[in-house]
Amino acid sequence: MLVAHDRVHAFGDDALGDHDAVALAALVRAGEVSPAELARAAAARAERLQATLNPVAFPAHREPWGAAGADPAAPLFGVPTYLKDNVDLRGLPTGQGSAAFRPRPAGRNSGFTDQFLSTGVTVLGKTRLPEFGLNASTEFAAADPVRNPWNPEHSPGASSGGAAVLVATGAVPLAHANDGGGSIRIPAACCGLVGLKPTRGRLVANDMSRKLPVDLITDGVLTRSVRDSAAFFAAAERYHRNPALPPLGLVEGPGTRRVRIGLVLDSPLAVTDPQTREAVRRTALRLESMGHQVSETTLPFDAAFADDFTLYWGYLAFLIALTGRLTVDRSFRADRLDGLTQGLRRTYLRGMLGTPGMLRRLARVKDSYAGLFQAHDVILSPVLAHVAPPIGHLNPNVPFEELKDRLERYVAFTPVNNIAGGPGIALPTGAAANDLPIGVHLSAAHGDERTLLELAFALEADQPWRRIQD
């Protein structure tokens, strides 16, 4: 493990080197390295990081999952990775980041897990998330937090914080993440990664999302390179393609089309900090220099949307508390849920009579979102309203009303895509004065991940992302 300027990473002279997933898969196909060698190197890197950054919930380093039974012709065959600890992998526990129950080994894979494995990856274990993915920082009421490798005194984002740490530090080139309010894009922004939240329905539905009246959860991956994100979605599409969406295929580089980009600097919900605002402006200028048309616009959402989202957020906590013994585990105890989950549950109980109206309004967000793309092809905005906060700022032990206010002032852009179901990508184009990454966010119309990936390729080629090991 190397530590420099408060950064922590695991890059070194082993089988992984500093290759991305596409490069590693090519080495495996050429016979220059084996999946077992890559798995051993990745496990060793992750184990060196665990004491400092705490990203792994349940390791399976001695018996990795996937390599022995995977199709050698799968595009990512042999690439080591991790699953987030809120999807089932047969034989490993699913802990959901919670101390409210005793996790037991899952008896089957979730539907998405099978799609994930179909790409050829080797799963080495499961990554930490905050309790049931409800927080925007991977912190716990009575356990050590997951820490940001660019500066361990700061948050890595959430709820896919453990996954982000393993990718940013070089332990693995990509890792599973999912996103119910920004949790692919938020840790990407905090940890200097690429994070694409796909259109709702692009991948096999998450087990939980099938049960929700408004399906806001989508799965994906966190990566260090745009081509790894593109390769994953192309590989996943070989297993399942939703006929209701345009096929994505393999996006291999920048597009030739010049697009209309709407620039959003502020959210109706929070004031964007100066460093984040500057990172978004600079990205807009770069896109203009490539020939794209950029004009300022605003989001058609206001504080009423925030109120509805918060009530729905509380509804999720209420469902967890109410049904946990049936849907999570028979050992589940609602009184052991953390302060954030309990506070969200109380928020819902106070406003539950407004549920029918809230659901009707959230269902209409899809149409308002689609209207954005009549005058624009893409919306450029911040991912977050401010730079990754220090550990403790979003801890679930913070008094609930204060914590809720902090979260709403931080996560002020990403939830719209979850409710509307549209795609969004976080790209690490900026850096704060304290060296922490700053991410920018690109959104597109439903089904148009291709445009987002093409723009991401162009930005990466124009100015490669910062490397934590430099």
Side-chain angles (χ1 to χ4, degrees), residues 172-192:
V172 291
L174 61 78
H176 166 238
N178 47 34
D179 193 314
S183 293
I184 293 173
R185 295 158 290 157
I186 292 169
C190 293
C191 294

Side-chain angles (χ1 to χ4, degrees), residues 24 31 60 105 125-126 274 329 362 372 401 415 452:
L24 291 175
K126 302 182 82 175
D329 188 85
L362 290 181
L372 280 168
E401 291 300 329
L452 297 181

